[in-house]
Amino acid sequence: MKYDPQENNCPLPYTPFRSCVVPRPIAWISSIDDKGNENLAPFSQCGIITFDPPMVMFSANHYPTGQRKDSAVNAEKNGWFVWNMATEALKDAVNISAMIVPSDQSEFELAGLAKVKADLSDVPMVKDSPCQLECRYVSTTVVQGNGELGTVDVIIGEVIRVHINDDYITPEGRVDIDGIRPIARMGYIDYTVINNSFSMEVPMTEEIRKIMNEIMAGSANKPVTAGEEK
Ligand SMILES: Cc1cc2nc3c(=O)[nH]c(=O)nc-3n(C[C@H](O)[C@H](O)[C@H](O)COP(=O)(O)O)c2cc1C
């Protein structure tokens, strides 16, 4: 089958688009407003933009009334947000934190989550998340969609501090993703657990490998493996 989204001619009962780009990681974003109210919400329209310096983005749809999401407004006003890793062990809390509640109601309390203050701002982080990225707000790009609901604030942040629970660092010094069991979105109301990794390296000549390693050694980032890998 094929269809054209702008023609609204999809023959399937539910839109398949969001199942065509999977699995999508979940940016579990914590932030605070100018009164200090804390906020936590999951965003699967998200990802890494670049690695040097490390930068991330998440995309917050407007409400049908035109109101913007607290996570986007807070990041802009306060200048900081935290990307907490969403895991299978925390999946119910992730879901509860997506509830639409007044700004002065804490999703941390609603979901019964322990929190710890970020190092670089007053933003609370999810204590039991194995990985947290403290992000300094960089910019907002409003991408106009069909109506308010299709319109998004694309929030970009630079990762200034990375926290990883030592329990999930392997003896070889790698992040134990299969042990962490992150969750990701699959379209509809479906999720997957990441617990089945495999490795492969892009083939390259020794000469190219040497050049790549020299470039990576000169940057703030260490090579991921012997070769360049993203
Ligand atoms: C797994 C998951 C992923 C979500 N992804 C997005 C997203 O990418 N963009 C968005 O606007 N809302 C997304 N939502 C809905 C928001 O989490 C929800 O609207 C939340 O209440 C926004 O909170 P805020 O106004 O406190 O920022 C998602 C919900 C779930 C459960």
Side-chain angles (χ1 to χ4, degrees), residues 107-119:
E107 288 89 353
F108 280 89
E109 280 171 23
L110 199 63
L113 284 167
K115 61 195 175 191
V116 55
K117 195 186 89 60
D119 290 351

Side-chain angles (χ1 to χ4, degrees), residues 26 39-45 59-61 63 69-71 94-95 97-100 107 185 191:
I26 296 171
N39 196 85
L40 180 66
F43 293 88
S44 68
Q45 298 167 163
S59 187
N61 292 75
Y63 289 109
K69 295 213 168 158
D70 290 338
S71 305
V94 171
N95 206 24
S97 72
M99 289 172 67
I100 298 167
E107 288 89 353
R185 265 213 127 161
Y191 294 78

Side-chain angles (χ1 to χ4, degrees), residues 108-219:
F108 280 89
E109 280 171 23
L110 199 63
L113 284 167
K115 61 195 175 191
V116 55
K117 195 186 89 60
D119 290 351
L120 308 172
S121 71
D122 288 330
V123 173
M125 311 196 293
V126 177
K127 185 167 179 275
D128 293 328
S129 173
C131 175
Q132 300 101 353
L133 308 176
E134 293 193 47
C135 304
R136 186 160 54 204
Y137 168 79
V138 172
S139 66
T140 305
T141 302
V142 180
V143 177
Q144 200 65 44
N146 289 325
E148 290 292 350
L149 201 56
T151 298
V152 286
D153 295 322
V154 181
I155 306 291
I156 294 179
E158 179 179 341
V159 179
I160 306 294
R161 181 157 298 170
V162 177
H163 302 250
I164 303 168
N165 182 332
D166 291 333
D167 292 347
Y168 294 105
I169 303 214
T170 67
E172 301 78 39
R174 292 170 48 124
V175 181
D176 177 14
I177 290 298
D178 287 353
I180 286 176
R181 298 175 72 86
I183 54 171
R185 265 213 127 161
M186 305 280 277
Y188 314 110
I189 53 169
D190 299 346
Y191 294 78
T192 189
V193 177
I194 313 291
N195 63 346
N196 186 19
S197 336
F198 64 94
S199 304
M200 62 181 181
E201 211 173 332
V202 177
M204 64 178 91
T205 63
E206 271 315 305
E207 194 187 354
I208 298 284
R209 183 188 307 285
K210 197 164 159 260
I211 293 168
M212 293 305 303
N213 278 343
E214 273 168 21
I215 292 169
M216 296 300 276
S219 79

